[in-house]
PDB file of all heavy atoms in Angstrom:
ATOM      1  N   THR A 103      -0.684  -8.653   7.297  1.00 97.00           N
ATOM      2  CA  THR A 103      -1.086  -8.999   8.666  1.00 97.00           C
ATOM      3  C   THR A 103      -1.764 -10.366   8.721  1.00 97.00           C
ATOM      4  O   THR A 103      -1.464 -11.179   9.616  1.00 97.00           O
ATOM      5  CB  THR A 103      -2.028  -7.926   9.224  1.00 97.00           C
ATOM      6  OG1 THR A 103      -1.403  -6.640   9.118  1.00 97.00           O
ATOM      7  CG2 THR A 103      -2.363  -8.202  10.671  1.00 97.00           C
ATOM      8  N   LEU A 107      -0.374 -13.737  10.572  1.00 97.00           N
ATOM      9  CA  LEU A 107      -1.077 -14.536  11.589  1.00 97.00           C
ATOM     10  C   LEU A 107      -1.004 -16.029  11.270  1.00 97.00           C
ATOM     11  O   LEU A 107      -0.790 -16.864  12.167  1.00 97.00           O
ATOM     12  CB  LEU A 107      -2.541 -14.085  11.673  1.00 97.00           C
ATOM     13  CG  LEU A 107      -2.813 -12.739  12.346  1.00 97.00           C
ATOM     14  CD1 LEU A 107      -4.288 -12.364  12.184  1.00 97.00           C
ATOM     15  CD2 LEU A 107      -2.450 -12.795  13.825  1.00 97.00           C
ATOM     16  N   GLY A 130      -2.861 -16.895  19.735  1.00 95.00           N
ATOM     17  CA  GLY A 130      -3.933 -16.175  20.413  1.00 95.00           C
ATOM     18  C   GLY A 130      -3.513 -14.781  20.836  1.00 95.00           C
ATOM     19  O   GLY A 130      -4.265 -13.806  20.685  1.00 95.00           O
ATOM     20  N   LYS A 131      -2.291 -14.638  21.360  1.00 95.00           N
ATOM     21  CA  LYS A 131      -1.806 -13.314  21.749  1.00 95.00           C
ATOM     22  C   LYS A 131      -1.622 -12.412  20.534  1.00 95.00           C
ATOM     23  O   LYS A 131      -1.953 -11.227  20.573  1.00 95.00           O
ATOM     24  CB  LYS A 131      -0.489 -13.461  22.514  1.00 95.00           C
ATOM     25  CG  LYS A 131      -0.630 -14.159  23.855  1.00 95.00           C
ATOM     26  CD  LYS A 131       0.726 -14.394  24.500  1.00 95.00           C
ATOM     27  CE  LYS A 131       1.428 -13.094  24.825  1.00 95.00           C
ATOM     28  NZ  LYS A 131       2.719 -13.320  25.513  1.00 95.00           N
ATOM     29  N   GLN A 132      -1.099 -12.992  19.454  1.00 96.00           N
ATOM     30  CA  GLN A 132      -0.909 -12.181  18.249  1.00 96.00           C
ATOM     31  C   GLN A 132      -2.245 -11.782  17.624  1.00 96.00           C
ATOM     32  O   GLN A 132      -2.391 -10.664  17.107  1.00 96.00           O
ATOM     33  CB  GLN A 132      -0.068 -12.970  17.229  1.00 96.00           C
ATOM     34  CG  GLN A 132       0.307 -12.196  15.971  1.00 96.00           C
ATOM     35  CD  GLN A 132       1.370 -11.160  16.225  1.00 96.00           C
ATOM     36  OE1 GLN A 132       1.810 -10.981  17.358  1.00 96.00           O
ATOM     37  NE2 GLN A 132       1.788 -10.480  15.165  1.00 96.00           N
ATOM     38  N   PHE A 133      -3.227 -12.663  17.678  1.00 97.00           N
ATOM     39  CA  PHE A 133      -4.544 -12.347  17.136  1.00 97.00           C
ATOM     40  C   PHE A 133      -5.207 -11.229  17.941  1.00 97.00           C
ATOM     41  O   PHE A 133      -5.824 -10.324  17.380  1.00 97.00           O
ATOM     42  CB  PHE A 133      -5.424 -13.594  17.141  1.00 97.00           C
ATOM     43  CG  PHE A 133      -6.797 -13.375  16.570  1.00 97.00           C
ATOM     44  CD1 PHE A 133      -6.985 -13.307  15.197  1.00 97.00           C
ATOM     45  CD2 PHE A 133      -7.901 -13.222  17.399  1.00 97.00           C
ATOM     46  CE1 PHE A 133      -8.242 -13.094  14.663  1.00 97.00           C
ATOM     47  CE2 PHE A 133      -9.155 -13.014  16.873  1.00 97.00           C
ATOM     48  CZ  PHE A 133      -9.334 -12.953  15.499  1.00 97.00           C
ATOM     49  N   LEU A 134      -5.060 -11.280  19.266  1.00 96.00           N
ATOM     50  CA  LEU A 134      -5.603 -10.204  20.094  1.00 96.00           C
ATOM     51  C   LEU A 134      -4.924  -8.877  19.786  1.00 96.00           C
ATOM     52  O   LEU A 134      -5.589  -7.827  19.679  1.00 96.00           O
ATOM     53  CB  LEU A 134      -5.421 -10.563  21.575  1.00 96.00           C
ATOM     54  CG  LEU A 134      -5.895  -9.515  22.591  1.00 96.00           C
ATOM     55  CD1 LEU A 134      -7.391  -9.262  22.439  1.00 96.00           C
ATOM     56  CD2 LEU A 134      -5.559  -9.957  24.013  1.00 96.00           C
ATOM     57  N   ALA A 135      -3.612  -8.914  19.610  1.00 96.00           N
ATOM     58  CA  ALA A 135      -2.889  -7.688  19.242  1.00 96.00           C
ATOM     59  C   ALA A 135      -3.325  -7.186  17.874  1.00 96.00           C
ATOM     60  O   ALA A 135      -3.429  -5.970  17.649  1.00 96.00           O
ATOM     61  CB  ALA A 135      -1.387  -7.947  19.269  1.00 96.00           C
ATOM     62  N   ALA A 136      -3.597  -8.099  16.946  1.00 97.00           N
ATOM     63  CA  ALA A 136      -4.042  -7.683  15.618  1.00 97.00           C
ATOM     64  C   ALA A 136      -5.426  -7.032  15.671  1.00 97.00           C
ATOM     65  O   ALA A 136      -5.691  -6.068  14.947  1.00 97.00           O
ATOM     66  CB  ALA A 136      -4.062  -8.887  14.669  1.00 97.00           C
ATOM     67  N   VAL A 137      -6.307  -7.545  16.512  1.00 97.00           N
ATOM     68  CA  VAL A 137      -7.636  -6.935  16.659  1.00 97.00           C
ATOM     69  C   VAL A 137      -7.520  -5.531  17.238  1.00 97.00           C
ATOM     70  O   VAL A 137      -8.132  -4.566  16.737  1.00 97.00           O
ATOM     71  CB  VAL A 137      -8.534  -7.831  17.529  1.00 97.00           C
ATOM     72  CG1 VAL A 137      -9.842  -7.117  17.854  1.00 97.00           C
ATOM     73  CG2 VAL A 137      -8.814  -9.153  16.823  1.00 97.00           C
ATOM     74  N   ILE A 138      -6.718  -5.388  18.305  1.00 96.00           N
ATOM     75  CA  ILE A 138      -6.520  -4.058  18.883  1.00 96.00           C
ATOM     76  C   ILE A 138      -5.835  -3.131  17.882  1.00 96.00           C
ATOM     77  O   ILE A 138      -6.191  -1.951  17.745  1.00 96.00           O
ATOM     78  CB  ILE A 138      -5.702  -4.160  20.183  1.00 96.00           C
ATOM     79  CG1 ILE A 138      -6.442  -5.025  21.205  1.00 96.00           C
ATOM     80  CG2 ILE A 138      -5.420  -2.780  20.762  1.00 96.00           C
ATOM     81  CD1 ILE A 138      -5.653  -5.280  22.477  1.00 96.00           C
ATOM     82  N   GLY A 139      -4.852  -3.661  17.162  1.00 97.00           N
ATOM     83  CA  GLY A 139      -4.182  -2.862  16.138  1.00 97.00           C
ATOM     84  C   GLY A 139      -5.114  -2.461  15.015  1.00 97.00           C
ATOM     85  O   GLY A 139      -4.994  -1.353  14.474  1.00 97.00           O
ATOM     86  N   GLY A 140      -6.055  -3.339  14.659  1.00 97.00           N
ATOM     87  CA  GLY A 140      -7.031  -2.974  13.639  1.00 97.00           C
ATOM     88  C   GLY A 140      -7.915  -1.821  14.075  1.00 97.00           C
ATOM     89  O   GLY A 140      -8.245  -0.932  13.278  1.00 97.00           O
ATOM     90  N   VAL A 141      -8.290  -1.828  15.364  1.00 97.00           N
ATOM     91  CA  VAL A 141      -9.074  -0.706  15.894  1.00 97.00           C
ATOM     92  C   VAL A 141      -8.248   0.584  15.858  1.00 97.00           C
ATOM     93  O   VAL A 141      -8.738   1.657  15.463  1.00 97.00           O
ATOM     94  CB  VAL A 141      -9.557  -1.019  17.320  1.00 97.00           C
ATOM     95  CG1 VAL A 141     -10.256   0.188  17.926  1.00 97.00           C
ATOM     96  CG2 VAL A 141     -10.496  -2.222  17.307  1.00 97.00           C
ATOM     97  N   LEU A 142      -6.970   0.501  16.244  1.00 97.00           N
ATOM     98  CA  LEU A 142      -6.100   1.674  16.198  1.00 97.00           C
ATOM     99  C   LEU A 142      -5.918   2.173  14.766  1.00 97.00           C
ATOM    100  O   LEU A 142      -5.892   3.384  14.514  1.00 97.00           O
ATOM    101  CB  LEU A 142      -4.741   1.336  16.813  1.00 97.00           C
ATOM    102  CG  LEU A 142      -4.706   1.090  18.325  1.00 97.00           C
ATOM    103  CD1 LEU A 142      -3.302   0.711  18.769  1.00 97.00           C
ATOM    104  CD2 LEU A 142      -5.192   2.321  19.078  1.00 97.00           C
ATOM    105  N   GLY A 430       3.209  -8.177  19.913  1.00 91.00           N
ATOM    106  CA  GLY A 430       2.165  -7.157  19.970  1.00 91.00           C
ATOM    107  C   GLY A 430       2.715  -5.760  20.125  1.00 91.00           C
ATOM    108  O   GLY A 430       2.144  -4.801  19.598  1.00 91.00           O
ATOM    109  N   LEU A 433       3.492  -4.698  16.721  1.00 96.00           N
ATOM    110  CA  LEU A 433       2.355  -4.659  15.805  1.00 96.00           C
ATOM    111  C   LEU A 433       1.470  -3.441  16.030  1.00 96.00           C
ATOM    112  O   LEU A 433       0.990  -2.817  15.067  1.00 96.00           O
ATOM    113  CB  LEU A 433       1.541  -5.943  15.954  1.00 96.00           C
ATOM    114  CG  LEU A 433       0.355  -6.121  15.004  1.00 96.00           C
ATOM    115  CD1 LEU A 433       0.837  -6.175  13.558  1.00 96.00           C
ATOM    116  CD2 LEU A 433      -0.423  -7.376  15.349  1.00 96.00           C
ATOM    117  N   LEU A 434       1.246  -3.063  17.292  1.00 96.00           N
ATOM    118  CA  LEU A 434       0.308  -1.967  17.583  1.00 96.00           C
ATOM    119  C   LEU A 434       0.756  -0.632  16.986  1.00 96.00           C
ATOM    120  O   LEU A 434      -0.017   0.011  16.267  1.00 96.00           O
ATOM    121  CB  LEU A 434       0.105  -1.850  19.096  1.00 96.00           C
ATOM    122  CG  LEU A 434      -0.576  -3.042  19.787  1.00 96.00           C
ATOM    123  CD1 LEU A 434      -0.733  -2.768  21.271  1.00 96.00           C
ATOM    124  CD2 LEU A 434      -1.930  -3.330  19.157  1.00 96.00           C
ATOM    125  N   MET A 437       0.563  -0.726  13.042  1.00 97.00           N
ATOM    126  CA  MET A 437      -0.775  -0.624  12.458  1.00 97.00           C
ATOM    127  C   MET A 437      -1.336   0.792  12.614  1.00 97.00           C
ATOM    128  O   MET A 437      -2.061   1.283  11.739  1.00 97.00           O
ATOM    129  CB  MET A 437      -1.705  -1.652  13.095  1.00 97.00           C
ATOM    130  CG  MET A 437      -1.329  -3.088  12.808  1.00 97.00           C
ATOM    131  SD  MET A 437      -2.623  -4.287  13.185  1.00 97.00           S
ATOM    132  CE  MET A 437      -3.770  -3.997  11.856  1.00 97.00           C
TER     133      MET A 437
END
Side-chain angles (χ1 to χ4, degrees):
T103 305
L107 287 173
K131 294 174 64 177
Q132 185 73 358
F133 181 77
L134 178 61
V137 172
I138 300 175
V141 175
L142 291 178
L433 184 62
L434 295 181
M437 295 195 73

